[in-house]
Amino acid sequence: MAENWRGECSNPNAKTLVPGKQDDSSKKNKKKKETGSQFEFCTVCNLNHDQGQRHKYFPSHKKSLSACLSRFESKLADVRFFLRNPAALRPEHASRNRFWCIFCDVDVEELGSSFACSNAINHLSSVDHLKSLKHFMWKYGGGMDRLDSFRILDADVTKWRKKCATLKKEAALSEDRCHGPLSGLSNDIHREPNIGIVDHFEDNYTVYPLKSSILNGVTPLQYNTNEQQILYPEIAGGPNAGSLPTKLVSSNASLHSADDSNGVEGNVHSGAAPPWLDSSEHSLVDYNIKSFSVNVASHSNKLEKSRKLNPKRVGAAWAEKRKIEMELEKRGEIAKKECDSGWLPNFGRVWQSGSRKESRREFEMEKQTLLKKETESEISKEIQPYISKRIACFAGVRYLTLWIRVLLESGDIALSLMESSSNMVVVPPALIDERIRAAVLAGRGEILFCVMLARNTVQAKGEVLHAGGRVGEEVLMAILRSLMIDRHARINTRAVAVCPAPAAAAAWAKFGRKKMAMGGQR
Amino acid sequence: MSYVLTTLTKKREVDSVIRDTIDKVLVLRFGRASDAECMQLDDILAKSAREVSKFATVALVDIDSEDVQVYVKYFDITLTPSSVFFFNAHHMKMDCGTADHTKWIGAFRRKQDFIDVVEANYRGAMKGKLIVNCPLPPERIPRYQLLYKDM
């Protein structure tokens, strides 16, 4: 099944793109027809494929190939460095110098060489390597123009050999002066020439003659390992030789000497630098130097990276800003800002779709409409002079329609009355008699009271009371008060008070609001 | 009432908590401390607050206080207890298979559930995601029905 699927995927020209619809036998036939090749292993992609010659043009393969080649190139970069600056190879570091040549499928080790990467250089310049390189590029489609970046040219090799020869001669010369085992220049490839260290070495110049004398005089038993013996010949030769590798050596020596636990060389009296200072330099040197052990470098990189927080994390910019603010607040430079009461965090609401900013805006709008509603309900309704036509045609009498908005409990009667028309004051007949009439008589104005029984029928059961002139404020208030007090009267809750004169209008308004506060909401 | 966790009653306090928690998940529980399910949730929160303290902070908000009603409306909190997650003052949504991704409604079954949820939030936030998937299996997620507000 898997094979069939792969067969489908790799062949965009297949007639059916949906796997599993055809039966296996026909698929296999198709596969054989289309590809016709057996499975082979691609070292670059590290997988088996049956795509034959087409495989090297696929984008995934190209990606893996470029990654592979760039990795190899970086390894070669180290080798090239030593090609330009040959340095002696110390045996214990030989294990770090080996690498795997992907073209030749061979491990290139530095076993018997005296110089760093000499085996590697020799290998990379050899004819065999070139052959296998060409074959690799052809097989995996690397691009024949890049061949030279993966091998070392003969001219370079000869130059390098010359340099090595000169180095050897110098080493031999320097060794003649002192008695000591010949080891060539036991430069550690890890000790890169560093100007700082050279200066340090010059400061310690005075140390060396002392050391050589010690060497000649006292016992070599103080030196634990071979390396010490190797070093000291170079120390003596150090100040004299001006070449790069000896500087390296001497710096190396100074470091090592300082590191020694026995106080013979490098103690307070000899004026050597204290071991902790040197050891820190030592570690600095290690970091600065390119080494074949790429693992170490990458591992240290990883550590540094994980300590930093991911800059792509949520709210990173805000967090950085806030951290700085808090730092400054702590130090007292900025006064602690109380965030304004309107600040809201970035929140995506439940019933809103769209971005979070939009939902916040919608919330702000909602808040405002809520506020408006609350304030509006406090203000009484519009008060305007209105004379209804229906009423006006009533027996030619000039009516002043009173509109009262009263918030009381609505009874059934009142409701039905309400429905018909809202421009009548509904006053129960009983009430009209006593208090209201008296109030009207006391004041001045024309008021019509009537009772509406049913839709659109007006039963003028009330009386037309003329008090003459304008409706007095107190009168109106008295009327309304009387209406309100008697709750059993079941007064229409939706009647509206209308006044012609602005003064009276204010009175109505005031009254209406008061009622609002007292009666509460329906 | 949980004595281990801070209870917030004012909008200003809530604001300061949200703004001052940097690079840590902030869990804000909205609820009434006297409610049974809320008490259960508070218990779990109190017990695990210390364990997640390196990457999370927990705070309780009392729904009944008037100052906080703005937040109750803003976060559309209708069922209690609700827990809202923040990271660096940004709200973290979590898809638990329920209707409301913006908050966690209900209590947690076990301490480990809570820790898993907070960890999922933290990981997602560190990667830069504003919505994360819930690591809990559906049987451990409290179910509820969300009706539209005017119904």
Side-chain angles (χ1 to χ4, degrees), chain A residues 62-334:
Chain A
K62 285 196 173 171
K63 259 197 241 170
S64 332
L65 180 69
S66 62
C68 201
L69 291 179
S70 47
R71 263 183 278 141
F72 191 73
E73 259 185 279
S74 63
K75 288 186 196 162
L76 283 193
D78 294 329
V79 179
R80 280 184 209 285
F81 171 77
F82 284 107
L83 180 72
R84 277 174 268 133
N85 314 301
L89 177 66
R90 294 174 49 184
E92 58 275 6
H93 293 282
S95 51
R96 286 197 217 171
N97 287 13
R98 61 180 175 79
F99 71 99
W100 175 270
C101 177
I102 51 175
F103 309 112
C104 318
D105 273 350
V106 80
D107 211 10
V108 178
E109 297 209 20
E110 307 286 325
L111 287 172
S113 68
S114 47
F115 290 100
C117 308
S118 65
N119 271 3
I121 293 173
N122 287 328
H123 170 85
L124 288 167
S125 51
S126 64
V127 180
D128 288 329
H129 175 77
L130 180 62
K131 256 196 197 168
S132 45
L133 173 67
K134 282 190 183 167
H135 175 78
F136 184 92
M137 288 305 194
W138 170 82
K139 193 172 174 203
Y140 297 112
M144 302 308 263
D145 48 345
R146 296 174 58 195
L147 280 185
D148 280 341
S149 54
F150 298 110
R151 59 189 283 264
I152 294 181
L153 300 165
D154 291 332
D156 295 334
V157 176
T158 43
K159 271 195 238 164
W160 177 77
R161 287 211 181 109
K162 280 188 200 160
K163 281 192 196 166
C164 290
T166 49
L167 282 177
K168 263 196 181 164
K169 281 185 206 159
E170 281 168 4
L173 278 173
S174 62
E175 275 160 21
D176 283 341
R177 291 187 205 129
C178 309
H179 304 286
L182 178 72
S183 66
L185 290 166
S186 57
N187 288 315
D188 198 2
I189 53 164
H190 297 283
R191 305 285 181 246
E192 199 178 291
N194 206 331
I195 298 174
I197 292 176
V198 170
D199 289 336
H200 176 80
F201 138 70
E202 278 169 4
D203 289 338
N204 285 342
Y205 180 90
T206 48
V207 180
Y208 299 119
L210 250 177
K211 283 185 193 162
S212 53
S213 61
I214 293 166
L215 184 74
N216 289 330
V218 194
T219 64
L221 285 174
Q222 291 163 341
Y223 310 126
N224 320 346
T225 62
N226 216 11
E227 41 182 287
Q228 305 296 341
Q229 288 178 324
I230 294 165
L231 284 170
Y232 288 111
E234 271 69 59
I235 295 165
N240 301 325
S243 63
L244 217 52
T246 47
K247 276 190 192 161
L248 272 179
V249 169
S250 47
S251 60
N252 187 11
S254 69
L255 289 169
H256 271 271
S257 61
D259 278 343
D260 248 1
S261 49
N262 53 0
V264 181
E265 41 287 317
N267 58 18
V268 176
H269 306 290
S270 62
W276 55 85
L277 250 184
D278 274 349
S279 56
S280 61
E281 266 188 34
H282 181 96
S283 55
L284 260 177
V285 166
D286 260 341
Y287 265 104
N288 287 336
I289 286 171
K290 288 188 215 169
S291 68
F292 266 100
S293 53
V294 186
N295 298 331
V296 174
S298 64
H299 182 62
S300 64
N301 277 343
K302 273 182 203 160
L303 279 177
E304 284 172 24
K305 274 182 195 165
S306 63
R307 267 182 243 132
K308 274 200 304 186
L309 287 171
N310 181 1
K312 283 195 252 168
R313 69 186 187 279
V314 169
W318 190 90
E320 301 302 322
K321 251 202 310 178
R322 187 85 186 117
K323 267 193 212 164
I324 296 171
E325 265 182 37
M326 289 177 83
E327 271 297 303
L328 294 173
E329 275 169 19
K330 263 195 210 170
R331 285 192 228 147
E333 289 178 19
I334 299 182

Side-chain angles (χ1 to χ4, degrees), chain A residues 10-39:
Chain A
S10 64
N11 191 355
N13 294 326
K15 283 176 193 159
T16 57
L17 287 176
V18 180
K21 280 232 161 141
Q22 285 182 323
D23 47 294
D24 284 350
S25 53
S26 59
K27 269 200 178 169
K28 274 192 190 152
N29 288 337
K30 252 205 180 156
K31 186 183 71 179
K32 277 210 173 135
K33 260 193 242 163
E34 305 289 354
T35 61
S37 69
Q38 298 301 313
F39 274 94

Side-chain angles (χ1 to χ4, degrees), chain B residues 7-25:
Chain B
T7 309
L8 310 167
T9 44
K10 298 211 169 44
K11 179 182 188 284
R12 207 165 17 96
E13 291 170 11
V14 179
D15 280 349
S16 64
V17 160
I18 294 178
R19 288 158 71 95
D20 292 342
T21 315
I22 300 183
D23 294 336
K24 278 169 122 187
V25 176

Side-chain angles (χ1 to χ4, degrees), chain A residues 309-310 312-315 318-319 322-323 326 338 341 343 345-351 356 360 363, chain B residues 11-12 15 19-20 22-23 71 73-76 87-88 90-91 102-103 125-126 128-129 147-148:
Chain A
L309 287 171
N310 181 1
K312 283 195 252 168
R313 69 186 187 279
V314 169
W318 190 90
R322 187 85 186 117
K323 267 193 212 164
M326 289 177 83
E338 291 286 329
S341 55
W343 181 82
N346 176 344
F347 189 86
R349 299 185 71 202
V350 183
W351 298 106
R356 293 185 178 194
R360 203 200 286 200
F363 178 70
Chain B
K11 179 182 188 284
R12 207 165 17 96
D15 280 349
R19 288 158 71 95
D20 292 342
I22 300 183
D23 294 336
Y71 275 133
K73 286 205 194 72
Y74 186 46
F75 299 154
D76 293 322
F87 188 84
N88 279 341
H90 283 61
H91 164 59
T102 62
K103 55 181 91 69
M126 274 308 186
K129 298 190 187 287
L147 305 168
Y148 189 59

Side-chain angles (χ1 to χ4, degrees), chain B residues 70-139:
Chain B
V70 181
Y71 275 133
V72 171
K73 286 205 194 72
Y74 186 46
F75 299 154
D76 293 322
I77 294 174
T78 43
L79 299 164
T80 51
S82 301
S83 313
V84 190
F85 299 95
F86 288 92
F87 188 84
N88 279 341
H90 283 61
H91 164 59
M92 297 291 302
K93 296 194 185 188
M94 186 159 69
D95 180 6
C96 318
T98 58
D100 187 355
H101 295 346
T102 62
K103 55 181 91 69
W104 171 275
I105 293 184
F108 291 94
R109 277 283 169 91
R110 312 184 313 214
K111 267 170 65 178
Q112 193 53 47
D113 289 351
F114 170 67
I115 296 174
D116 288 341
V117 162
V118 176
E119 185 194 341
N121 267 309
Y122 184 75
R123 282 189 190 276
M126 274 308 186
K127 289 220 180 111
K129 298 190 187 287
L130 284 169
I131 180 163
V132 297
N133 281 317
C134 181
L136 303 182
E139 55 265 9

Side-chain angles (χ1 to χ4, degrees), chain A residues 213-515:
Chain A
S213 61
I214 293 166
L215 184 74
N216 289 330
V218 194
T219 64
L221 285 174
Q222 291 163 341
Y223 310 126
N224 320 346
T225 62
N226 216 11
E227 41 182 287
Q228 305 296 341
Q229 288 178 324
I230 294 165
L231 284 170
Y232 288 111
E234 271 69 59
I235 295 165
N240 301 325
S243 63
L244 217 52
T246 47
K247 276 190 192 161
L248 272 179
V249 169
S250 47
S251 60
N252 187 11
S254 69
L255 289 169
H256 271 271
S257 61
D259 278 343
D260 248 1
S261 49
N262 53 0
V264 181
E265 41 287 317
N267 58 18
V268 176
H269 306 290
S270 62
W276 55 85
L277 250 184
D278 274 349
S279 56
S280 61
E281 266 188 34
H282 181 96
S283 55
L284 260 177
V285 166
D286 260 341
Y287 265 104
N288 287 336
I289 286 171
K290 288 188 215 169
S291 68
F292 266 100
S293 53
V294 186
N295 298 331
V296 174
S298 64
H299 182 62
S300 64
N301 277 343
K302 273 182 203 160
L303 279 177
E304 284 172 24
K305 274 182 195 165
S306 63
R307 267 182 243 132
K308 274 200 304 186
L309 287 171
N310 181 1
K312 283 195 252 168
R313 69 186 187 279
V314 169
W318 190 90
E320 301 302 322
K321 251 202 310 178
R322 187 85 186 117
K323 267 193 212 164
I324 296 171
E325 265 182 37
M326 289 177 83
E327 271 297 303
L328 294 173
E329 275 169 19
K330 263 195 210 170
R331 285 192 228 147
E333 289 178 19
I334 299 182
K336 192 163 189 187
K337 269 192 276 178
E338 291 286 329
C339 54
D340 60 328
S341 55
W343 181 82
L344 289 168
N346 176 344
F347 189 86
R349 299 185 71 202
V350 183
W351 298 106
Q352 269 78 20
S353 65
S355 76
R356 293 185 178 194
K357 275 195 196 155
E358 280 177 31
S359 63
R360 203 200 286 200
R361 242 179 268 144
E362 282 186 36
F363 178 70
E364 303 283 350
M365 280 176 10
E366 264 177 38
K367 250 206 298 192
Q368 285 181 13
T369 50
L370 262 177
L371 280 171
K372 268 192 209 158
K373 265 194 213 161
E374 282 177 17
T375 52
E376 267 176 14
S377 55
E378 289 181 12
I379 303 169
S380 68
K381 300 308 164 191
E382 276 180 359
I383 297 167
Q384 43 179 295
Y386 176 73
I387 299 171
S388 127
K389 287 184 203 161
R390 192 156 19 101
I391 295 172
C393 67
F394 229 170
V397 179
R398 225 182 106 232
Y399 297 119
L400 190 65
T401 323
L402 289 178
W403 299 53
I404 302 173
R405 177 150 289 175
V406 172
L407 299 180
L408 289 178
E409 299 148 29
S410 57
D412 299 344
I413 307 164
L415 259 175
S416 57
L417 291 168
M418 215 170 71
E419 272 172 289
S420 41
S421 160
S422 60
N423 54 0
M424 294 296 172
V425 171
V426 177
V427 181
L431 257 183
I432 293 177
D433 305 316
E434 303 144 15
R435 292 169 269 179
I436 296 169
R437 202 177 307 184
V440 166
L441 281 174
R444 284 176 284 160
E446 295 176 5
I447 301 168
L448 169 70
F449 288 94
C450 60
V451 173
M452 293 172 60
L453 292 174
R455 193 184 284 266
N456 291 328
T457 57
V458 176
Q459 183 176 357
K461 213 157 175 227
E463 296 173 18
V464 179
L465 305 164
H466 293 264
R470 286 170 298 147
V471 177
E473 197 178 312
E474 301 81 16
V475 170
L476 291 173
M477 296 285 274
I479 292 166
L480 274 179
R481 224 175 277 122
S482 62
L483 287 173
M484 306 321 156
I485 290 166
D486 193 346
R487 280 169 157 258
H488 298 292
R490 290 190 175 279
I491 290 177
N492 176 10
T493 61
R494 288 293 218 96
V496 180
V498 172
C499 297
W508 283 118
K510 206 169 48 172
F511 189 86
R513 227 180 275 132
K514 244 202 268 178
K515 201 57 224 159

